[in-house]
Amino acid sequence: MKRTIDIERVDHIGVRVRDLERALEFYAILGFGLHAKAANDAVAIVRNAKEVELNLVYNANAGDDAKNILMDVPEKYPGYTHVALRVASIKATIEALNANRVRITQGPVAFGRDGHVSVFVRDPDMNVVELRGRSEDLSSLDGVAPYVPQN
């Protein structure tokens, strides 16, 4: 039997962006603040109050500003398609997104029988962020549709 690696948790997630200030404004809505900038690389470390960490790699210089090459083109390239972040309340999340005029690109959608509900948004560089709530009474949440893969 092959030996396996004991992964304890996700340490951080790297997200490539074009404009650091624009990205910082967006991720601040999700509760992230600048923790540090690398002295020798185009990397800004942002964290939220729960110590979830993203590395904003601010050296993107190619591609269509209006498309995500992994999600929005007919040819399917390998790569990470999105990050899913657990939220305390999907209802409060939707309210905050609306208050900040962040467009929900998909959702709210329910996945399977477990009742988990997600909304999807795009950052200014079209990177997909899934915001997922769990264990919440959603009986008063309108417009929840079952998830249907869009391929």
Side-chain angles (χ1 to χ4, degrees):
M1 184 166 115
K2 292 183 181 182
R3 291 183 60 184
T4 62
I5 298 170
D6 185 17
I7 304 291
E8 295 178 338
R9 66 182 188 91
V10 173
D11 185 77
H12 68 273
I13 298 162
V15 181
R16 189 174 314 276
V17 300
R18 286 176 174 27
D19 180 304
L20 178 58
E21 293 308 314
R22 183 176 73 168
L24 287 171
E25 287 178 25
F26 174 82
Y27 285 98
I29 294 168
L30 302 184
F32 291 90
L34 182 62
H35 175 71
K37 285 174 82 174
N40 61 347
D41 205 354
V43 176
I45 299 165
V46 297
R47 291 184 181 156
N48 73 0
K50 303 278 187 182
E51 296 295 312
V52 175
E53 182 177 308
L54 303 176
N55 289 356
L56 301 178
V57 182
Y58 53 96
N59 63 2
N61 60 8
D64 183 340
D65 288 353
K67 290 187 178 173
N68 175 319
I69 194 154
L70 295 177
M71 299 296 288
D72 303 328
V73 297
E75 303 85 13
K76 298 302 178 202
Y77 295 88
Y80 298 100
T81 59
H82 69 286
V83 59
L85 302 173
R86 180 82 52 86
V87 298
S89 166
I90 197 67
K91 290 185 337 188
T93 296
I94 292 169
E95 290 170 2
L97 292 171
N98 290 336
N100 286 286
R101 296 188 179 109
V102 174
R103 187 170 81 87
I104 295 172
T105 57
Q106 185 180 5
V109 294
F111 290 88
R113 294 180 216 148
D114 60 11
H116 305 322
V117 173
S118 296
V119 293
F120 293 81
V121 297
R122 300 279 183 110
D123 78 3
D125 292 290
M126 302 305 289
N127 295 305
V128 179
V129 179
E130 176 182 355
L131 302 168
R132 177 175 269 203
R134 294 182 184 248
S135 305
E136 179 179 2
D137 176 13
L138 298 173
S139 59
S140 65
L141 185 63
D142 292 330
V144 177
Y147 175 72
V148 178
Q150 297 180 355
N151 216 10

